[in-house]
Amino acid sequence: MPRAGIAAMAMAPEGPAVAVLMATFNGAAHLAAQLDSFAGQSLPPRWLVVSDDGSTDATLEILADFASRHPAISVTVLHGPRRGAAANFLHLLAHVPEGAEFVALSDQDDVWLPGKLADGVALLRGANLPALLGTRTLVCDESLGGARPSPLWRRPFGFAHALVQSFAGGNTMMLNRAAIRLVTAAAEEAGQVVMHDWWLYQIITGAGGQVVFDPRPQLYYRQHGANQIGANRGPIAKLHRLRALLRGDFRVWNGINAAALAASAHRLTPENRAILKDFIRLRGLPLAARIAGFRRLQLYRQGPAGTASLWLAVALGRL
């Protein structure tokens, strides 16, 4: 349910109807800058829907102040499920405003560049299939300094990639109306997911949808101690990922993802249903059969390090 006193009625601005979905939890330190970047868009959103996971700082007051200063943006704040960021974003997908043509996902601590929504709409407009947009980011420190572009992936995007790696941060993602309908229905079936952005990539590509990647960075991705998931760059990040793989975390995540996809298997294309079935089966095979099977399946990750980690996981039975 919305929290009383924090909703503000919009004045129906012109242009495509875009809704921003934002998950919050004790985000007061950086939230105001993110909200100001929404208002500063060349194509401002018509709605801002926030799912708050029980903030005890000034997050709710900052949201209320923003709503009072920007009556052209309808602001609604919901009680979050308090089961982590992924569950919070899935909760938001059940509250997409009626009439929204496009949805943009947002973290609470970034800063969007002014053309983010307009550029996203331009890239998604005209797609008849469910379409998911992701972009590069400007990875920066807590003060927005030292900004550098996130990696530019070279291999194509699709279900054979989505099963083992996401393609963009959820804080960059936008969906068209067909994708909104798909993921809203699938979210009711999924149960637990590891990361909402990874699951979105999997379910949309699995259902035969379209992925659009914008190589232009569209936001400042702030790195700080409170980040749940960082930018995954540099030797320390690679060491953390290797340790997670050796611990078996990657295998656990893949099991959770596979179960969520299996619950929505009727939404996948026949080809991708078969890939998912083989993926689940091959994870339990002995070493030689597992390696041969994954070669036939042709799953892949981006970049040399990603490729090496994938085959290490296959060899060690950690996939």
Side-chain angles (χ1 to χ4, degrees):
M1 296 179 60
R3 292 176 180 266
I6 304 186
M9 296 302 295
M11 297 168 61
E14 297 296 324
V18 181
V20 174
L21 307 182
M22 181 166 65
T24 60
F25 177 68
N26 288 342
H30 305 296
L31 179 59
Q34 174 70 308
L35 294 172
D36 287 344
S37 73
F38 298 163
Q41 289 293 296
S42 59
L43 172 63
R46 200 169 293 188
W47 301 273
L48 169 61
V49 184
V50 180
S51 182
D52 184 76
D53 250 356
S55 293
T56 56
D57 63 1
T59 292
L60 298 179
E61 289 79 4
I62 292 169
L63 289 165
D65 176 69
F66 177 81
S68 68
R69 290 187 293 107
H70 298 282
I73 301 174
S74 176
V75 180
T76 301
V77 179
L78 310 168
H79 293 281
R82 303 194 185 193
R83 298 195 307 272
N88 206 5
F89 273 104
L90 292 192
H91 178 243
L92 280 163
L93 293 175
H95 294 86
V96 175
E98 192 72 29
E101 300 172 73
F102 304 92
V103 155
L105 305 186
S106 174
D107 287 353
Q108 64 186 3
D109 47 9
D110 301 324
V111 173
W112 287 3
L113 299 183
K116 181 183 185 302
L117 292 183
D119 288 344
V121 166
L123 289 169
L124 289 173
R125 176 168 274 168
N128 296 319
L129 297 171
L132 174 66
L133 169 74
T135 82
R136 295 171 80 192
T137 65
L138 293 169
V139 182
C140 57
D141 62 26
E142 189 165 4
S143 301
L144 305 184
R148 61 201 186 280
S150 59
L152 178 59
W153 302 127
R154 300 298 181 182
R155 302 188 72 177
F157 302 117
F159 191 62
H161 175 242
L163 273 178
V164 292
Q165 188 181 34
S166 191
F167 84 109
N171 55 344
T172 74
M173 289 181 173
M174 290 183 67
L175 300 88
N176 68 352
R177 188 66 217 176
I180 295 167
R181 288 193 293 268
L182 168 64
V183 302
T184 299
E188 296 180 0
E189 304 159 349
Q192 183 183 6
V193 301
V194 177
M195 290 177 281
H196 62 284
D197 46 4
W198 195 1
W199 173 78
L200 286 171
Y201 181 32
Q202 291 177 336
I203 191 66
I204 289 173
T205 57
Q210 177 182 356
V211 171
V212 180
F213 186 76
D214 188 349
R216 298 169 294 182
Q218 293 286 3
L219 59 86
Y220 287 94
Y221 182 15
R222 202 190 300 259
Q223 301 294 288
H224 54 83
N227 281 49
Q228 283 212 3
I229 299 174
N232 289 327
R233 291 189 62 174
I236 295 178
K238 290 178 180 177
L239 179 60
H240 284 319
R241 290 199 301 275
L242 178 60
R243 286 176 175 170
L245 186 154
L246 295 175
R247 280 197 309 264
D249 294 1
F250 191 40
R251 180 173 176 81
V252 171
W253 298 341
N254 286 327
I256 293 170
N257 288 341
L261 288 170
S264 298
H266 59 289
R267 303 187 187 280
L268 307 183
T269 66
E271 177 186 3
N272 289 334
R273 266 200 308 275
I275 291 174
L276 175 63
K277 184 177 179 180
D278 282 347
F279 176 71
I280 293 170
R281 180 180 62 86
L282 291 171
R283 295 174 72 235
L285 292 182
L287 175 61
R290 187 168 64 243
I291 291 176
F294 276 108
R295 283 189 184 279
R296 289 194 303 271
L297 207 53
Q298 296 186 323
L299 305 185
Y300 61 94
R301 291 174 65 107
Q302 301 283 349
T307 299
S309 66
L310 173 62
W311 283 105
L312 179 61
V314 171
L316 295 178
R318 296 291 191 269
L319 190 64

